[in-house]
Amino acid sequence: MIRGLDTTVRRIRRIVFEEVARLGFKANAETLLDDMETIPYKIVNEETMKYRESVYRARAIVRERLRLAMGLSLRPENKPVHLTSGVEASNISDKYYEPPLMQVIPSACEGCEEKGYEVSNMCKGCLAHPCMEVCPKGAISMVNGRSFIDQDKCIKCGKCKAACPYDAISKKERPCAKACGVNAIETDKHGRAVINTDKCVSCGMCMVNCPFGAISDKSQVFQLARALSEGDQIIAEIAPAFAGQFGDNITPRNLKAALQELGFSEFYEVALGADIGAVAEAHHYVNKVTTGELPFLLTSCCPSWAMLAKKYFPDMVDQVSQELTPMVATARTIKKEHPNAKVVFIGPCAAKKLEAMRRTVRSDVDFVITFEELQAMFDAKDIDLTEYEAESSFHNATGAGRGYAYAGGVAQAIENCVKEYYPGVDVKIEHAEGLAECKKILSLAKVGKMNGCLIEGMGCPGGCVAGAGTNLQVDKAKKEVQKLVAGSTRKLPPKELEEIELK
């Protein structure tokens, strides 16, 4: 796993976001096009680290990253399109995301081999040759004293690998395809990866698992930086997975002060919306599932999970909770108090970018950026979080709402609310993390194996702390959030929150 490591791929992404944020803060329409043209040469030159075998290829890839970071799409390969084409439409402070969100940069893809098995030089040519004995297609023979796999006969079942006593048979698989739980990674005519947008649910796991940095997503960093530089009233709502994402000793007070320095006027925890959702979904479960009106209830806070259910199991749409997601519930709370403000969701999730694009949500959430993108904005303004500290922290959310950040936390919060406010009601909980596991549990639900259950689904293995826009290793991120949860003065949200009208 390369998650959370400070790899060259992450550094390049961060540098591109940082340069794009600088463009936004500068907000000079007269020099914008020239400034964009300069960035690839600033990032890739004779004095910088050699990223690829050719400086020209490296610059070509940075150009496409630059376009995505500006909120633009990749340029087509079959006709000439200038680097800055379409920038005029993006040089605004209220641009929405347009699908597809995740895109493979063709010039960056190494065309990794698809799934298959290959004998390595660890093979001893043993007398037992169990690999030959277990192969159901007779694809393995002895050649020059070692096992050899005939790829034309191989059905890629993996039995040979499992049987080899020397672990001499390796499984080859595209990292992006292996990470995709919905099999959305396919191959073009040149052998490069391509994303089937009809299957994709925009979780971003392909992006963070590609060791060549060939997959990237669109960003609103430029537009948000412009809005901040123009002095608009902009309020941040911050997902509970923020704990530890900006440094080991960075406290909520440090983060709040740094956000003030960027230009944000006020700050809310998204755990506020999670508190509202936990109470509301507990009420929903008791009144709909335990009465038999619904066979089971699917949580809705993870957009990739909800998209998976609606795209692959359309007959289950009625079982997806209709309660607002924490992002939207918090945003609507903010807009009630500050109707003229713009709201920015800051979180770990790439799929939230498309959730905010929905017509029913657009008026609530104006921008979505990830922790990775926020760090780049701090870098663009030379903000060292250790040098800033606010007089107060964020509002005091409950441990239940903050626990939404890791797998199992959503179901646990709802279960605790049911036990507290509906004593005597038995709660049946199931949860799945990672899209492959999510598909399995939905398949079981479809045939009646999950009746009476509250089912939590998380598109990323590990939950939100493992989102595609995080800065920290997953295990460490979870521990940091658990500390935040443990330090909460209130453990459960009050039952009265279910009466809040935000829809």
Side-chain angles (χ1 to χ4, degrees), residues 257-271:
L259 289 167
Q260 285 175 324
E261 188 68 16
L262 270 184
F264 290 95
S265 58
E266 291 198 44
F267 320 89
Y268 288 71
E269 280 190 75
V270 175

Side-chain angles (χ1 to χ4, degrees), residues 275-285 323 497-498:
D275 285 340
I276 296 171
V279 174
E281 291 198 342
H283 179 265
H284 195 167
Y285 176 82
E323 302 302 331
L497 286 182
E498 72 181 27

Side-chain angles (χ1 to χ4, degrees), residues 109-357:
C109 182
E110 290 292 322
C112 301
E113 293 181 68
E114 296 182 63
K115 182 179 177 181
Y117 292 86
E118 189 174 82
V119 180
S120 74
N121 58 9
M122 292 288 290
C123 179
K124 300 294 185 180
C126 60
L127 184 63
H129 44 69
C131 55
M132 292 176 57
E133 303 302 331
V134 299
C135 180
K137 295 295 181 181
I140 302 179
S141 58
M142 297 298 289
V143 176
N144 296 326
R146 287 171 52 182
S147 296
F148 172 79
I149 301 175
D150 185 337
Q151 297 298 332
D152 292 332
K153 294 181 180 178
C154 178
I155 59 172
K156 303 174 178 58
C157 65
K159 291 183 178 180
C160 57
K161 177 176 175 61
C164 178
Y166 290 102
D167 196 23
I169 299 177
S170 62
K171 180 182 179 181
K172 300 182 297 181
E173 192 170 7
R174 272 190 168 142
C176 57
K178 182 178 180 180
C180 180
V182 292
N183 299 316
I185 305 295
E186 299 177 356
T187 306
D188 68 9
K189 62 182 180 181
H190 301 292
R192 300 171 302 197
V194 63
I195 299 173
N196 184 330
T197 55
D198 291 332
K199 294 181 178 180
C200 179
V201 294
S202 300
C203 68
M205 288 298 100
C206 58
M207 176 177 73
V208 295
N209 282 283
C210 174
F212 294 99
I215 303 175
S216 193
D217 57 342
K218 291 179 179 176
S219 174
Q220 284 180 318
V221 163
F222 175 79
Q223 290 78 20
L224 175 56
R226 268 208 55 172
L228 288 167
S229 68
E230 291 169 359
D232 296 344
Q233 183 187 15
I234 302 179
I235 297 175
E237 54 165 328
I238 303 155
F242 76 82
Q245 293 291 329
F246 301 95
D248 289 339
N249 299 311
I250 299 303
T251 68
R253 289 190 179 193
N254 297 132
L255 181 55
K256 181 178 179 179
L259 289 167
Q260 285 175 324
E261 188 68 16
L262 270 184
F264 290 95
S265 58
E266 291 198 44
F267 320 89
Y268 288 71
E269 280 190 75
V270 175
L272 167 66
D275 285 340
I276 296 171
V279 174
E281 291 198 342
H283 179 265
H284 195 167
Y285 176 82
V286 171
N287 284 273
K288 298 290 184 180
V289 179
T290 62
T291 60
E293 185 175 336
L294 288 177
F296 49 84
L297 181 65
L298 307 177
T299 59
S300 62
C301 55
C302 173
S304 289
W305 154 258
M307 201 184 308
L308 171 74
K310 293 171 183 177
K311 185 175 284 193
Y312 289 84
F313 300 87
D315 52 340
M316 292 187 186
V317 170
D318 291 340
Q319 279 76 55
V320 177
S321 172
Q322 299 304 304
E323 302 302 331
L324 298 176
T325 66
M327 176 182 80
V328 179
T330 307
R332 290 193 181 177
T333 301
I334 294 170
K335 293 274 185 168
K336 273 192 168 186
E337 298 176 13
H338 308 277
N340 297 319
K342 291 184 177 179
V343 174
V344 182
F345 173 82
I346 301 171
C349 181
K352 285 290 183 186
K353 295 178 177 182
L354 292 188
E355 181 185 342
M357 183 204 71

